[in-house]
Amino acid sequence: MITIIGTIHVVNIAEPIMFFIKHIWPDAVLVELDVTRYNALQGNSSETDGDKADKMFEQTAKYQQKLAENNRSSVGNEMLTAVQTGKLVGAEIGLIDDDAMRTLQRAWDAMPFGERFRYRLSVIRDRFKGQKDVQRIIDDSKYADQAIEDMRRRYPNFVRVLVDERNEKMSAQIRDYAERFTNIVVVVGDAHVEGIADALSDLEVRKIRLADILDKDRLDKVRASLWNRGEENESQVVGVHAER
C-alpha cells in the first residue's frame, strides 16, 4: 500500500500528518524535499548563491514564510513532522525531490518572455491577495485544484517543469522504494497527488487529499478509517501470538 498525503506548505497541519503516520505505521516515509531544503528547514543551510535563481524566487520564499506566519506555522513544517514521525515509528526516510534551486532555474529558463512577465505580475498580486487565496483553499475543497488549472493555463511551461516533470521523477523514486517496502507513506504538496497517483496506477495507492485534512468531518472519517484498520491489524497480531 502506498498512501499519498497532500499538504499545503503555509498552514499548520502537522498534527494530522503525525496521526496518519503513527496509525499507518509505514516501512518508509517519503517526502517532497531535497537535501538542501531539508537542511534549510532544520536551520543547517548556508546562504545560496545569488546567480542560482532569479531574485523573484527569493521574494516568493519570503512571501510564503509570511503567509505561514500569518497561519501560525512555518514553511515546510508538515514535511519536518513527517520525517520526525517516520523516524519515531522506525521507518526509512526518503527525500524524493530534485534540487529546488536548479528546478526553479529550469522553470524560469523554460518560460518565454510573456509568461515570465505574467508570473512577475502574479508575485506582486499575491502580496496583496495571498492570504485570501489561502483562506479560500481552507474554506473551499475544490479551490486548490481550480487554482492549479488556472496556473496551467497562464504559466504552462512553469507548471510543466515545477509540477509535471517533478511528478514523473518523484513517481520513479517511489517505485524504487516500492520494490523494497510494502507499506509506504508519501507526503507531497497537494498539487502533486493526482499526477503521482496516475503514474502509479498499476500499484495499490490510497490518497488523502488536502481537502480531507482541512475539512473536520472528512478528517474525522479518515482518522476513524485508520484507527479501525489499526485495531484490526493489532487483533490479527494478537491472534497470531495466541496460536503460537
Side-chain angles (χ1 to χ4, degrees):
M1 170 66 76
I2 299 171
T3 303
I4 307 175
I5 303 173
T7 72
I8 184 171
H9 303 318
V10 296
V11 175
N12 190 352
I13 55 173
E15 191 278 331
I17 298 297
M18 185 183 300
F19 179 93
F20 297 154
I21 294 174
K22 283 185 175 181
H23 286 78
I24 294 171
W25 207 278
D27 306 310
V29 172
L30 314 181
V31 294
E32 180 201 330
L33 288 176
D34 61 85
V35 174
T36 301
R37 273 188 297 161
Y38 177 60
N39 288 335
L41 290 176
Q42 292 185 308
N44 298 327
S45 66
S46 57
E47 292 294 325
T48 57
D49 297 334
D51 59 350
K52 281 190 175 181
D54 192 271
K55 290 292 184 182
M56 177 191 65
F57 297 123
E58 294 180 20
Q59 296 171 1
T60 300
K62 291 178 181 178
Y63 153 74
Q64 286 187 333
Q65 185 57 46
K66 182 178 180 181
L67 284 180
E69 291 171 357
N70 289 343
N71 290 283
R72 298 180 181 180
S73 185
S74 58
V75 176
N77 181 46
E78 84 285 9
M79 296 294 171
L80 278 182
T81 297
V83 171
Q84 292 163 356
T85 310
K87 291 179 179 179
L88 183 66
V89 301
E92 182 167 322
I93 306 299
L95 309 180
I96 61 172
D97 203 5
D98 276 349
D99 180 88
M101 295 304 290
R102 285 200 295 267
T103 300
L104 288 170
Q105 189 63 60
R106 285 195 303 106
W108 182 253
D109 292 341
M111 288 192 287
F113 174 80
E115 192 173 336
R116 290 183 184 183
F117 182 74
R118 290 194 301 274
Y119 190 85
R120 285 185 181 276
L121 288 180
S122 75
V123 172
I124 297 173
R125 179 196 68 87
D126 285 345
R127 292 177 187 173
F128 301 96
K129 294 183 62 179
Q131 184 56 44
K132 290 182 179 179
D133 287 342
V134 172
Q135 192 60 47
R136 282 196 65 183
I137 290 173
I138 294 172
D139 296 337
D140 183 354
S141 63
K142 296 181 180 179
Y143 181 69
D145 288 335
Q146 293 170 353
I148 289 296
E149 288 309 308
D150 181 57
M151 283 190 66
R152 192 179 294 279
R153 287 191 297 271
R154 299 178 66 187
Y155 322 111
N157 294 287
F158 184 77
V159 173
R160 172 177 56 81
V161 174
L162 212 64
V163 178
D164 299 337
E165 291 183 6
R166 287 169 68 208
N167 287 348
E168 293 176 6
K169 293 179 180 179
M170 287 191 286
S171 298
Q173 292 223 51
I174 295 168
R175 281 189 181 278
D176 290 341
Y177 278 91
E179 292 180 359
R180 297 190 290 126
F181 301 106
T182 58
N183 185 14
I184 299 172
V185 166
V186 181
V187 182
V188 293
D190 196 64
H192 296 287
V193 173
E194 295 299 334
I196 292 175
D198 288 344
L200 302 174
S201 59
D202 57 314
L203 302 177
E204 187 177 5
V205 174
R206 170 176 54 196
K207 295 178 290 186
I208 302 177
R209 295 294 306 271
L210 177 64
D212 299 321
I213 299 174
L214 296 179
D215 182 274
K216 183 181 182 303
D217 291 337
R218 291 168 70 166
L219 177 59
D220 287 343
K221 289 180 181 179
V222 175
R223 288 180 188 272
S225 173
L226 294 177
W227 184 272
N228 292 334
R229 181 175 177 179
E231 288 185 336
E232 290 175 4
N233 292 339
E234 185 176 343
S235 66
Q236 289 172 3
V237 172
V238 171
V240 169
H241 286 304
E243 290 176 3
R244 292 177 179 175

